[in-house]
Amino acid sequence: MDIEKIVRWIIIGTLVLIGASLLGILIDIGTALLSFALKVLVVVLIVAVVVRLINGSPAPNA
């Protein structure tokens, strides 16, 4: 192998590692946002159930 091929493979490997680390950061951010969204949805569900109980609306037929 000549020097140009070795340098080319080093550059490609570096770019792949940078891309993988950026993808890892995006996955971490997505996981945090998903966790936050699920907590918000649970709170909304609880509020909806409490409001329904307070209003005395009959439960939907199952």
Side-chain angles (χ1 to χ4, degrees):
M1 293 184 88
D2 58 0
I3 297 295
E4 290 179 10
K5 282 188 177 182
I6 294 172
V7 170
R8 184 178 302 132
W9 281 107
I10 289 174
I11 292 172
I12 291 172
T14 303
L15 291 176
V16 167
L17 289 175
I18 290 172
S21 65
L22 289 176
L23 182 62
I25 291 171
L26 290 176
I27 290 173
D28 289 342
I29 292 171
T31 303
L33 288 176
L34 182 62
S35 173
F36 177 74
L38 286 175
K39 289 176 186 176
V40 168
L41 289 174
V42 167
V43 169
V44 169
L45 175 65
I46 291 171
V47 169
V49 168
V50 169
V51 167
R52 178 168 286 219
L53 289 175
I54 289 174
N55 288 337
S57 301
N61 294 333

